[in-house]
Every structure is written in structure tokens, then in C-alpha cells.
Amino acid sequence: DGDGADATAARMERAGLKGAELTLIRAEAAVLRGRPEDALALVAQDNSPTAWRIRAAAKLAMKDPEGALVALRQGAAAGNDPLLLRDYAKFLTESGDLDGAALQVAVMERIAPDGYDASMLKADIAARRGRMAEAHAVLGKLAERYPAVVEPWVARAEIYDMEGKLDEAIRMTAKAADIAPADPRVVALQVQFASMKGDWAKVDKAYAGQS
């Protein structure tokens, strides 16, 4: 929500916030509002991990993954910031560098043992390596620890789908729907799995709930 972030920055400025912290908030808002060049200009003189994280997001928005990787590496070298390490691990995971991603997750776990982001990433890496039981175990613990959060259930549904276990995937999706029935990811899974089952009434019902 770039507009919301920008409005928040304006309120904080009126309340007396100024300096580097306000600039970082404005830079993040600029990325979210689709103005990555403005974000880069705002953090041009800042070498904090947060600034490097914002640079990486801006570079990705500008379709420059190489520049994003450089920014993430610089940010990791600047300090162990959990949000930057999260984004770095996600970038490496999506790039197929699972060993590199696992190294960043290990640092995250040293900073915050059993942290949410580190656990979600750990499960994703395990699933991509074909270690499905490990991924389910991590996600199951997360679901117990954060009962109002839908992501672990969605992730488990997707992993069961990868395993070809449709009924289990549907069961995980139902758990997710109990928490957030209107979440677009949940609705998409409901439609996908109902279509695979040929249950067009459920497909229609899912779409009707979005209208």
C-alpha cells in the first residue's frame, strides 16, 4: 500500500519525525507506488541495511535483478538486518540458489530462533529440494504457533499438490479458508482443486464469493 505508506510518512513528519528514518519510510513508499527511481534518489547517501534492501526492491521493480543482487549482497555485508536477509533469501530461492538461500536463513535463525520468516523460507527450501516431510513438519509447527495466519496452510496445500496428494491439498485449503475465506490465494486454490475434481458447483461458489 504505497499511498498508505506515504500518508503515514506525512503524519509522522507532522508529528516531528525527521532525518534518515523518515527518508527511508518515504523511499519504501516510493517503491510501493511504482516510483523506484525516486526511491533510489532518496537513499542515495544511505548505506544502512534498510537502504540496501530498498535499493534491491527498486532494482527489481526496474527489471534489474543483477542490480538487486548487488544491493542485497551489500546490505548483508552492512549488517544482519532480518528484513534484508529475508529478501535476500527469497531472491536466492527464486533464482535457484538454494544453498545460498539456506545460508541466509541460517543467519536469520541465529538472530531470531524459530522466527516466522526464517521458518517459512526453510520450508520452501526443503520443498524445492524434495524434502516434503521436513517442509510439512516446519509448516505444521508454524500453523500451531500462529493460528490466525493463513500462509502455512496455503504452503502446505501447494506442497501436497506438488506431491500429487489432491485430497490432502484440499484439506489444507479448507483449513486456510477457515482463517481467511476471501484471501485470493485461498480462493485460487479452491478453484484449482475443485476444477481438478470436476466439481464445477464449488468453482462457481468460489467465484461467487469474490463478486
Side-chain angles (χ1 to χ4, degrees), residues 126-203:
R128 289 170 187 258
R129 284 174 165 165
R131 302 203 301 245
M132 305 309 194
E134 178 184 337
H136 283 302
V138 172
L139 292 167
K141 289 179 181 178
L142 274 181
E144 291 177 5
R145 196 179 308 140
Y146 301 98
V149 177
V150 73
E151 281 80 5
W153 297 110
V154 169
R156 292 196 73 187
E158 291 172 341
I159 293 170
Y160 275 125
D161 181 36
M162 291 167 59
E163 295 179 90
K165 297 178 179 178
L166 182 55
D167 289 339
E168 287 299 316
I170 291 171
R171 189 167 68 85
M172 295 298 105
T173 304
K175 294 282 190 180
D178 288 341
I179 299 168
D183 187 298
R185 295 163 298 181
V186 175
V187 175
L189 288 175
Q190 288 176 321
V191 170
Q192 175 188 338
F193 299 147
S195 299
M196 292 168 70
K197 283 278 192 179
D199 191 341
W200 305 114
K202 281 190 177 179
V203 172

Side-chain angles (χ1 to χ4, degrees), residues 103-150:
L103 287 174
Q104 302 310 315
V105 171
V107 177
M108 293 172 69
E109 289 183 315
R110 287 199 296 272
I111 297 170
D114 296 321
Y116 177 83
D117 287 332
S119 294
M120 285 295 295
L121 286 161
K122 190 173 184 178
D124 187 16
I125 293 168
R128 289 170 187 258
R129 284 174 165 165
R131 302 203 301 245
M132 305 309 194
E134 178 184 337
H136 283 302
V138 172
L139 292 167
K141 289 179 181 178
L142 274 181
E144 291 177 5
R145 196 179 308 140
Y146 301 98
V149 177
V150 73

Side-chain angles (χ1 to χ4, degrees), residues 44-55:
Q45 305 304 317
D46 191 334
N47 288 310
S48 68
T50 300
W52 286 113
R53 178 174 61 81
I54 292 170
R55 283 190 189 93

